[in-house]
Amino acid sequence: MDTTYRDRTEAGTVLADHLGHLAHRADVTVLGLVRGGVPVAAAVARGLAAPLDVLVVRKLGLPLAPELAFGAVGPGGVRVLNQQIAARLAPDEVEAVVRAETAELRRREQRYRADRPPLRLDDRIAVVVDDGLATGATARAAVEVARTLGARRVVFAVPVGAPEAYELLTRTADEVVCPHRPADFGAVSRFYDDFHEVSDEEVVAALTGEG
């Protein structure tokens, strides 16, 4: 029988139990992937007694196949490219996608970070959290962005994920914590009673401690 979480907060509380080896460490930062990963990450951060921050990552998709990522952009001008896939595009096509996604990233950063300082991960253990792992493309991009931002070690933590995506992610992250990897994964929403779309307001509330 499938494990079903009541909501993202319960999923994060369960996930924190699987991350106990990182609790009460001064060098850990918990990062929620916007937007769905933030409520999960807030519960993880509480469980680990670690600071919570947000990681805004925008996947760079091929114009005619947006689901196929050729890279990602992150805060501070970070750009990660898969040259093998990016080579399918002309340089101006690459730049057009980068410009569009960078503009959206800046909008979200401005909305979520407000007066918070720029994200710094120098010599820290980054625990990147999302609410589910389907294809893993965004997760792999997020791991690379965290490394580029200076993280010494990157742990990707997710309550439920597809086994194939989990295996791929283990080749990118230093550690992947995923308690449930059902063979008939289907979709992330199957494993939550409440899987509403997380609003900008919820993200801001979680980051300011009001959520």
Side-chain angles (χ1 to χ4, degrees), residues 53-54 108-119 207:
D53 214 314
V54 62
R108 293 194 178 203
E109 279 267 294
Q110 186 174 33
R111 177 71 179 92
Y112 303 146
R113 300 201 70 81
D115 296 327
R116 297 162 67 84
L119 180 61
L207 291 172

Side-chain angles (χ1 to χ4, degrees), residues 8-9 12 30-46 52-56 112 129-131 198-208:
R8 291 178 175 90
T9 297
V30 177
L31 302 166
L33 280 181
V34 296
R35 285 180 290 207
V38 175
V40 185
V44 169
R46 285 193 296 271
L52 171 69
D53 214 314
V54 62
L55 184 59
V56 182
Y112 303 146
V129 179
D130 207 354
D131 53 12
V198 176
S199 68
D200 284 351
E201 290 72 24
E202 286 179 87
V203 172
V204 173
L207 291 172
T208 56

